[in-house]
Amino acid sequence: MHVIGTAGHVDHGKSTLVERLTGIDPDRFAEEKRRGLTIDLGFAWLTLPSGEEVGLVDVPGHERFIKNMLAGAGGVSVCLFVVAANEGWKPQSAEHLSIVDVLGIESGVVALTKADLVDQVTIEEVSSEVSDRLAGTSLAGAPIVPCSASTGDGIDALLRSLDASVARAPRPVDRSRPRLWVDRAFTISGAGTVVTGTLMGGSLDRNDTIELSPASHKARIRTIQNHKKEVDGIGPGNRVALNLSGLDRHAARRGDAVVLPGQWIPTRRVDAVVRVLPEDVAGRSHELIEKGAHLMYVGSAETAVRVKLLDTNRLGPGESGFAQLTLNDPLPLGFGDRFVLRDAGRVTTFGGGRVLDPLSEPARRSDASRVDLLARLSKAEQVADPIQWMALALLGAEGEIPVNRLLARVGVAELPSHVVVLESIAVSHGHLDALVEGLESAVRAHHDTNPLDRGMDKPAVAAALDTTVERVSALVAHSSKVVDEGRTIRLASHRVRFSPYLEAARSKLLARLDEAGFTPPFIADLDTDPELLKAMIENGDLVRVGDFLLADRRAAEARSRVRTYIEESGPATVAQIRDLLGTSRKYAVPLCEWLDSTGATMRRGDVRILGPRA
């Protein structure tokens, strides 16, 4: 669904036209009706000739209520620009067009209202002027339809033009990451808090838990209404009213955003591309420098901002550049968010822009790498896969980014499958290669220094790389040269290397233990280098059983003989296994426990039965 927003000078007949089109009076307040002047947002809806139902936001035209107009323009995808035929182009016509242009609203229709009050020549003259004014803006070439809300003349033609404009507008995208900027918040006795706004970016369902950002107040959606009809769920591009439970009556206000918990990170600093308009509403040129008081409008929110230009010292009329904006109030912003900039001193709209990085780090002017990154991000909407483009650009610039921050920066709920994630950290392919090379180098150095060690303990690897054991384990999966052996890591090509002296000692010990069979000396009685024993155990030459060692051949023999006995004679006691192996009880008991631990046998009361592993 789409939302149409009105724009135009005060008293040019916007609200009257809305009522004629929809049958709904958008002026909600008694003061509006008394003064005949819209001072806040009004809402209505209508069904177009094609059968599509659209929402409609009526905004105030008076310059004193421009903030209210901006609050309603954020979720608009189609503009109904109103110019009175009997008055022609006016100052607020110019400012409203500037706002529409900065927000990038490209679909629209101009309603030349009060056409019944002028002759055809005047209609043609005003139409020509309006067409000239639209040239060079996002509404250039928009159809101009003379009409009268009083007589109904031209209304059918206006509806057909609106229908065609809606059909041309891009459909709302569902990224499973909903956000609803609150443009109204009020309480209903017995029902609780109600907020309204235009839902974009994803869907909401009844009973969803939401949070109001930036304050992170949690609430539950009790009911959802769209055009006064209750629904169970609703998608992007719709005007929505949410009845929220569990929320303090003063917790919600205009400028907040309804989001799903954990999906949006309120930010005080964004990198953006900024554009200065050729002239302001009074026809004056504006030059953007870092000094001065500036206000930023995005969604339904307003906040003061400090501007740091990144690729120039100043932006003149009609110029664009990259800037970092520091917000006075944190807001849940995302890539591509359009915003309007106003000069707080002159109280006039002078430009706006588009968010490129909503969670940027502090920048300095003439930072070539930052400017290059922003130039890449600014092209994302022109490529086939913008999410992949942005993710690769950000990771290429920074190497690694926590997944939740990367999701927020590219504006999606799930990362593309090609992005590599290590323990909730996304990494670039280049950075991953460097990490893997560091891992392999650390393990290789350990092998060179400790040739008798089968592998390097993971905590030691983590310490060498200044990272966590969990990340080390994750890195191993991306290396073809390293083997994870649980507690340790080794190069796949590594083999324990014994010096001639140690090789002789190794052979002598193996022969001694092999000869001892199943009654070998205890470890404490062996006069052997502990490092050699450790290496032989890790290398598989020896098997530790309790407080003694078995030669690997004897260990395999014990498994085979005991399993064969149980297969042929049934469950065996410790005494039977003792006699089978020709040993004593002090060896037989730990041998039985070792057989259980390896899966060769299983204990059932006082006997052993076959285990699951041969």
Side-chain angles (χ1 to χ4, degrees):
M1 184 176 286
H2 287 279
V3 175
I4 299 172
T6 66
H9 192 73
V10 62
D11 203 29
H12 273 205
K14 293 187 294 299
S15 299
T16 304
L17 180 61
V18 168
E19 187 171 7
R20 181 76 190 208
L21 290 171
T22 67
I24 301 169
D25 183 357
D27 288 338
R28 296 176 290 113
F29 301 114
E31 184 180 0
E32 291 178 324
K33 298 184 182 300
R34 179 177 60 81
R35 296 167 62 182
L37 176 73
T38 300
I39 61 178
D40 204 350
L41 303 176
F43 306 99
W45 58 92
L46 74 154
T47 300
L48 295 170
S50 65
E52 180 167 0
E53 188 173 78
V54 295
L56 204 150
V57 179
D58 184 35
V59 303
H62 198 285
E63 61 180 341
R64 284 184 294 162
F65 306 115
I66 194 70
K67 293 181 182 180
N68 293 344
M69 181 273 179
L70 286 161
V76 166
S77 53
V78 177
C79 179
L80 175 56
F81 203 96
V82 177
V83 179
N86 62 332
E87 294 191 28
W89 198 259
K90 290 292 182 178
Q92 288 313 122
S93 304
E95 183 156 23
H96 280 212
L97 178 60
S98 296
I99 292 168
V100 170
D101 187 35
V102 166
L103 292 177
I105 302 172
E106 297 181 343
S107 295
V109 177
V110 178
L112 205 62
T113 56
K114 305 185 182 182
D116 57 313
L117 302 181
V118 298
D119 56 26
Q120 185 61 33
V121 172
T122 301
I123 288 175
E124 292 174 359
E125 290 176 347
V126 175
S127 296
S128 178
E129 180 189 13
V130 170
S131 182
D132 291 342
R133 297 280 187 173
L134 297 182
T137 74
S138 62
L139 290 184
I144 300 172
V145 182
C147 59
S148 170
S150 299
T151 66
D153 290 341
I155 295 299
D156 289 343
L158 178 61
L159 284 169
R160 289 193 296 272
S161 288
L162 281 173
D163 210 347
S165 188
V166 166
R168 290 193 300 270
R171 307 303 295 183
V173 178
D174 190 337
R175 299 192 184 279
S176 301
R177 194 166 173 259
R179 180 183 58 182
L180 179 146
W181 288 104
V182 176
D183 49 38
R184 278 195 301 165
F186 52 92
T187 58
I188 297 177
S189 179
T193 300
V194 175
V195 299
T196 71
T198 301
L199 178 62
M200 301 299 291
S203 302
L204 291 174
D205 295 315
R206 188 200 309 269
N207 292 322
D208 276 351
T209 296
I210 59 91
E211 69 178 18
L212 279 173
S213 186
S216 297
H217 296 307
K218 298 289 194 303
R220 181 181 63 83
I221 299 177
R222 179 182 291 153
T223 57
I224 303 173
Q225 281 195 358
N226 170 240
H227 302 164
K228 293 193 174 181
K229 292 177 290 188
E230 195 167 307
V231 295
D232 290 329
I234 196 161
N238 285 285
R239 285 293 306 173
V240 178
L242 302 176
N243 179 205
L244 303 177
S245 64
L247 194 68
D248 183 87
R249 60 178 299 182
H250 300 297
R253 60 178 183 174
R254 176 177 288 180
D256 289 338
V258 173
V259 298
L260 294 182
Q263 286 195 335
W264 294 80
I265 303 174
T267 181
R268 287 185 181 271
R269 184 171 48 245
V270 301
D271 287 346
V273 58
V274 173
R275 176 166 67 97
V276 177
L277 295 169
E279 60 182 35
D280 67 14
V281 64
R284 300 169 298 190
S285 61
H286 186 97
E287 185 176 65
L288 176 59
I289 58 176
E290 294 182 355
K291 294 181 180 179
H294 304 112
L295 296 173
M296 175 186 189
Y297 295 84
V298 58
S300 60
E302 170 195 356
T303 183
V305 293
R306 296 195 309 275
V307 178
K308 178 186 287 294
L309 299 173
L310 300 179
D311 53 350
T312 185
N313 292 323
R314 59 190 66 232
L315 287 177
E319 293 182 340
S320 298
F322 298 122
Q324 184 164 93
L325 308 180
T326 302
L327 286 59
N328 187 63
D329 306 298
L331 293 174
L333 302 182
F335 173 85
D337 280 347
R338 298 271 183 169
F339 58 86
V340 174
L341 291 174
R342 304 193 82 215
D343 187 308
R346 290 186 178 182
V347 195
T348 185
T349 301
F350 70 82
R354 184 164 56 96
V355 173
L356 298 178
D357 187 352
L359 295 170
S360 59
E361 296 297 324
R364 62 183 187 279
R365 188 181 295 112
S366 302
D367 184 340
S369 60
R370 177 66 63 93
V371 171
D372 179 65
L373 170 62
L374 296 180
R376 285 180 56 79
L377 292 175
S378 68
K379 298 175 183 177
E381 293 179 339
Q382 305 167 22
V383 301
D385 189 344
I387 304 305
Q388 174 177 316
W389 179 275
M390 287 186 289
L392 292 180
L394 289 166
L395 288 170
E398 300 179 26
E400 60 178 64
I401 303 170
V403 168
N404 67 325
R405 290 185 69 84
L406 184 58
L407 287 171
R409 290 170 77 175
V410 302
V412 291
E414 293 184 2
L415 289 176
S417 58
H418 68 275
V419 175
V420 179
V421 177
L422 300 175
E423 288 298 305
S424 75
I425 303 293
V427 298
S428 69
H429 291 281
H431 188 56
L432 176 64
D433 290 343
L435 291 172
V436 169
E437 184 178 346
L439 169 70
E440 294 168 354
S441 296
V443 177
R444 186 178 296 109
H446 180 83
H447 289 329
D448 291 341
T449 307
N450 306 275
L452 294 183
D453 282 359
R454 179 176 175 83
M456 185 177 182
D457 287 343
K458 284 184 180 176
V461 179
L465 300 179
D466 192 24
T467 187
T468 64
V469 171
E470 291 75 19
R471 173 173 267 203
V472 167
S473 297
L475 277 174
V476 172
H478 296 277
S479 171
S480 61
K481 299 178 180 179
V482 174
V483 176
D484 189 335
E485 297 192 320
R487 187 178 60 85
T488 61
I489 293 173
R490 66 174 176 86
L491 292 179
S493 59
H494 174 69
R495 298 294 181 270
V496 174
R497 300 192 304 273
F498 297 101
S499 66
Y501 169 78
L502 290 176
E503 180 61 39
R506 170 179 171 273
S507 298
K508 182 178 179 181
L509 179 60
L510 282 175
R512 179 183 176 189
L513 293 178
D514 186 57
E515 183 180 355
F518 302 109
T519 57
F522 286 90
I523 296 173
D525 298 328
L526 292 174
D527 185 18
T528 306
D529 183 348
E531 290 298 317
L532 176 59
L533 290 180
K534 176 184 175 185
M536 292 179 70
I537 292 171
E538 290 181 345
N539 206 40
D541 295 330
L542 300 176
V543 175
R544 181 162 185 162
V545 179
D547 293 329
F548 60 88
L549 299 168
L550 290 178
D552 62 334
R553 187 181 73 84
R554 290 294 189 182
E557 180 185 349
R559 286 174 59 90
S560 177
R561 288 171 64 176
V562 171
R563 285 183 62 89
T564 299
Y565 178 87
I566 294 174
E567 287 174 352
E568 295 176 351
S569 304
T573 64
V574 172
Q576 289 170 319
I577 293 174
R578 177 199 65 198
D579 295 342
L580 175 68
L581 299 178
T583 186
S584 65
R585 183 174 177 82
K586 69 177 180 180
Y587 287 99
V589 170
L591 269 168
C592 287
E593 292 173 350
W594 171 73
L595 289 168
D596 292 343
S597 69
T598 63
T601 60
M602 290 191 299
R603 182 173 179 176
R604 288 291 183 267
D606 293 332
V607 299
R608 258 69 182 186
I609 61 173
L610 286 179
R613 286 176 283 177

